[in-house]
Amino acid sequence: MINDNVYLKVGSINKPVGLKGEVKVFSTTTFKNIRYKKGNVLFLFVDNSYKEVTIESYRQKDSKFDILKFKEFNSPEEIEPFYQKDLFVLKDEKVLKKNQYFYDDLINCKVVNQDNIEIGKVVKIEEFPSQITLKIENNEKKFIYIPFIDVFIKSVDIENKTIICNTIEGMI
Protein backbone atom coordinates (compact mmCIF):
# COMPACT_ATOMS: atom_id res chain seq x y z
CA MET A 1 0.00 0.00 0.00
CA ILE A 2 1.23 3.49 -0.87
CA ASN A 3 1.57 5.98 1.98
CA ASP A 4 0.66 9.33 0.39
CA ASN A 5 1.62 11.16 3.61
CA VAL A 6 5.32 10.77 2.79
CA TYR A 7 5.03 12.53 -0.59
CA LEU A 8 4.71 16.26 -1.27
CA LYS A 9 3.51 17.62 -4.59
CA VAL A 10 6.07 20.00 -6.10
CA GLY A 11 4.53 20.58 -9.51
CA SER A 12 2.77 19.31 -12.60
CA ILE A 13 4.21 18.55 -16.01
CA ASN A 14 2.64 20.97 -18.46
CA LYS A 15 4.02 20.43 -21.97
CA PRO A 16 7.18 19.57 -23.92
CA VAL A 17 9.98 22.02 -24.60
CA GLY A 18 12.36 21.33 -27.49
CA LEU A 19 13.45 17.97 -28.84
CA LYS A 20 15.56 16.53 -25.99
CA GLY A 21 12.78 15.49 -23.62
CA GLU A 22 12.60 18.67 -21.56
CA VAL A 23 9.25 19.67 -20.07
CA LYS A 24 7.62 22.82 -18.83
CA VAL A 25 6.56 22.31 -15.21
CA PHE A 26 4.04 24.32 -13.20
CA SER A 27 5.91 24.46 -9.89
CA THR A 28 4.18 24.56 -6.53
CA THR A 29 7.26 24.25 -4.34
CA THR A 30 8.96 27.09 -2.53
CA PHE A 31 12.23 25.11 -2.45
CA LYS A 32 12.95 24.96 -6.20
CA ASN A 33 16.74 25.19 -5.86
CA ILE A 34 16.72 22.26 -3.43
CA ARG A 35 14.04 20.11 -5.10
CA TYR A 36 15.29 20.49 -8.69
CA LYS A 37 19.02 20.08 -8.05
CA LYS A 38 20.81 17.88 -10.59
CA GLY A 39 20.78 14.25 -9.46
CA ASN A 40 17.78 14.63 -7.15
CA VAL A 41 14.95 12.13 -7.39
CA LEU A 42 11.35 13.15 -8.03
CA PHE A 43 8.32 10.90 -8.39
CA LEU A 44 5.72 10.92 -11.16
CA PHE A 45 2.29 9.75 -10.01
CA VAL A 46 1.11 7.37 -12.74
CA ASP A 47 -1.46 4.54 -12.61
CA ASN A 48 -1.85 4.82 -8.85
CA SER A 49 1.87 4.44 -8.16
CA TYR A 50 4.98 6.58 -7.94
CA LYS A 51 7.58 6.29 -10.73
CA GLU A 52 11.05 7.50 -9.81
CA VAL A 53 12.75 10.03 -12.13
CA THR A 54 16.11 11.80 -11.77
CA ILE A 55 16.73 15.48 -12.46
CA GLU A 56 19.29 15.99 -15.22
CA SER A 57 18.86 19.75 -15.57
CA TYR A 58 16.73 22.61 -14.29
CA ARG A 59 16.22 26.20 -15.29
CA GLN A 60 13.64 28.73 -14.23
CA LYS A 61 11.37 30.00 -16.98
CA ASP A 62 9.41 32.55 -14.91
CA SER A 63 7.88 32.87 -11.42
CA LYS A 64 5.66 29.78 -11.74
CA PHE A 65 7.05 27.71 -14.60
CA ASP A 66 10.33 25.84 -14.78
CA ILE A 67 12.03 23.71 -17.40
CA LEU A 68 13.11 20.25 -16.24
CA LYS A 69 14.98 17.46 -17.99
CA PHE A 70 14.90 13.96 -16.54
CA LYS A 71 17.71 11.47 -17.09
CA GLU A 72 15.19 8.77 -18.04
CA PHE A 73 13.70 10.63 -21.04
CA ASN A 74 15.53 11.91 -24.13
CA SER A 75 12.74 12.89 -26.51
CA PRO A 76 9.28 14.43 -26.42
CA GLU A 77 7.83 11.06 -27.42
CA GLU A 78 9.37 9.29 -24.42
CA ILE A 79 7.96 11.76 -21.89
CA GLU A 80 4.64 12.40 -23.66
CA PRO A 81 2.69 9.81 -21.56
CA PHE A 82 3.51 11.91 -18.48
CA TYR A 83 2.10 15.25 -19.65
CA GLN A 84 -0.41 16.65 -17.14
CA LYS A 85 0.95 14.31 -14.43
CA ASP A 86 1.95 15.50 -10.98
CA LEU A 87 5.50 15.52 -9.62
CA PHE A 88 6.29 14.67 -6.00
CA VAL A 89 9.22 14.49 -3.61
CA LEU A 90 9.62 12.53 -0.43
CA LYS A 91 8.65 14.68 2.54
CA ASP A 92 11.88 15.74 4.22
CA GLU A 93 11.55 17.59 7.51
CA LYS A 94 15.26 18.51 7.32
CA VAL A 95 14.57 21.33 4.83
CA LEU A 96 12.43 23.07 7.45
CA LYS A 97 13.67 25.39 10.17
CA LYS A 98 12.33 25.28 13.71
CA ASN A 99 8.59 26.11 13.89
CA GLN A 100 8.20 25.75 10.11
CA TYR A 101 5.92 23.27 8.36
CA PHE A 102 4.80 22.29 4.91
CA TYR A 103 1.63 23.91 3.58
CA ASP A 104 0.42 20.37 2.96
CA ASP A 105 0.43 19.86 6.76
CA LEU A 106 -2.30 22.51 7.10
CA ILE A 107 -4.84 20.37 5.24
CA ASN A 108 -7.52 19.02 7.65
CA CYS A 109 -6.49 21.40 10.44
CA LYS A 110 -9.38 22.69 12.50
CA VAL A 111 -9.65 26.49 12.29
CA VAL A 112 -10.99 28.46 15.27
CA ASN A 113 -11.34 32.19 15.77
CA GLN A 114 -9.87 34.30 18.56
CA ASP A 115 -12.89 33.38 20.77
CA ASN A 116 -12.23 29.64 20.22
CA ILE A 117 -15.35 29.25 18.05
CA GLU A 118 -14.81 26.70 15.29
CA ILE A 119 -14.86 28.12 11.76
CA GLY A 120 -14.24 24.86 9.87
CA LYS A 121 -11.46 22.70 8.45
CA VAL A 122 -8.78 23.55 5.92
CA VAL A 123 -9.53 21.69 2.68
CA LYS A 124 -7.03 23.35 0.35
CA ILE A 125 -4.18 25.83 0.21
CA GLU A 126 -4.75 28.36 -2.57
CA GLU A 127 -1.62 30.03 -3.95
CA PHE A 128 -2.50 33.39 -5.43
CA PRO A 129 0.18 35.80 -6.73
CA SER A 130 -0.37 38.16 -3.82
CA GLN A 131 -0.57 35.62 -0.98
CA ILE A 132 -1.27 32.12 0.25
CA THR A 133 -4.93 31.63 1.27
CA LEU A 134 -6.58 28.93 3.36
CA LYS A 135 -9.73 27.46 1.82
CA ILE A 136 -11.87 26.40 4.77
CA GLU A 137 -15.05 24.34 4.64
CA ASN A 138 -17.54 25.10 7.43
CA ASN A 139 -20.27 22.85 8.87
CA GLU A 140 -22.76 24.10 6.26
CA LYS A 141 -20.42 22.90 3.49
CA LYS A 142 -19.68 26.50 2.47
CA PHE A 143 -16.19 27.79 1.77
CA ILE A 144 -14.44 30.57 3.63
CA TYR A 145 -11.14 32.04 2.46
CA ILE A 146 -8.65 33.43 4.98
CA PRO A 147 -5.34 34.94 3.87
CA PHE A 148 -2.43 33.08 5.42
CA ILE A 149 -0.73 36.19 6.76
CA ASP A 150 0.25 37.30 10.28
CA VAL A 151 -2.63 39.79 10.50
CA PHE A 152 -5.15 36.93 10.44
CA ILE A 153 -3.22 33.84 11.52
CA LYS A 154 -2.55 33.99 15.27
CA SER A 155 -1.01 30.52 15.70
CA VAL A 156 -0.56 27.18 13.96
CA ASP A 157 -0.30 23.97 15.98
CA ILE A 158 0.53 21.20 13.50
CA GLU A 159 0.79 18.54 16.21
CA ASN A 160 -2.81 19.17 17.38
CA LYS A 161 -4.00 20.11 13.84
CA THR A 162 -5.37 23.50 15.01
CA ILE A 163 -5.09 27.00 13.55
CA ILE A 164 -6.21 30.03 15.54
CA CYS A 165 -7.07 33.08 13.47
CA ASN A 166 -8.22 36.64 14.03
CA THR A 167 -11.38 37.31 12.10
CA ILE A 168 -12.80 40.65 11.12
CA GLU A 169 -16.35 41.71 10.34
CA GLY A 170 -17.48 40.39 6.95
CA MET A 171 -14.75 37.74 6.71
CA ILE A 172 -17.00 34.82 7.58
Side-chain angles (χ1 to χ4, degrees), residues 27-169:
S27 293
T28 57
T29 180
T30 53
F31 301 106
K32 292 179 183 184
N33 291 334
I34 295 170
R35 303 292 190 207
Y36 299 154
K37 190 182 276 185
K38 183 177 181 170
N40 280 4
V41 172
L42 297 181
F43 298 87
L44 283 163
F45 190 67
V46 182
D47 297 329
N48 228 13
S49 66
Y50 291 93
K51 175 181 175 46
E52 195 173 296
V53 291
T54 307
I55 300 285
E56 187 172 299
S57 66
Y58 152 71
R59 68 182 187 274
Q60 188 171 359
K61 180 165 176 45
D62 53 42
S63 63
K64 277 292 180 187
F65 288 97
D66 298 292
I67 307 298
L68 295 180
K69 166 79 173 77
F70 302 110
K71 203 186 306 185
E72 294 78 5
F73 308 106
N74 295 304
S75 72
E77 295 78 21
E78 289 178 11
I79 196 152
E80 185 178 9
F82 306 105
Y83 296 164
Q84 308 306 315
K85 300 293 183 194
D86 292 332
L87 288 167
F88 294 84
V89 294
L90 289 174
K91 198 174 202 179
D92 183 3
E93 305 291 335
K94 292 180 281 188
V95 300
L96 299 175
K97 295 177 184 166
K98 188 177 179 179
N99 295 323
Q100 284 187 327
Y101 39 83
F102 297 107
Y103 288 139
D104 194 56
D105 292 334
L106 300 174
I107 304 295
N108 292 320
C109 280
K110 177 173 75 170
V111 180
V112 297
N113 70 8
Q114 60 271 25
D115 299 320
N116 206 31
I117 297 170
E118 186 171 338
I119 297 169
K121 284 199 176 205
V122 177
V123 293
K124 189 174 181 184
I125 309 301
E126 300 278 357
E127 294 191 51
F128 299 110
S130 59
Q131 70 207 13
I132 304 297
T133 302
L134 301 178
K135 183 177 182 180
I136 300 162
E137 185 175 21
N138 66 14
N139 291 335
E140 291 86 42
K141 303 290 183 201
K142 293 184 180 177
F143 296 112
I144 300 160
Y145 296 88
I146 297 179
F148 194 68
I149 56 175
D150 293 340
V151 173
F152 298 115
I153 304 302
K154 191 172 177 181
S155 70
V156 175
D157 183 349
I158 294 298
E159 193 172 302
N160 293 309
K161 300 292 280 180
T162 304
I163 299 171
I164 300 172
C165 69
N166 292 317
T167 56
I168 59 174
E169 190 175 326

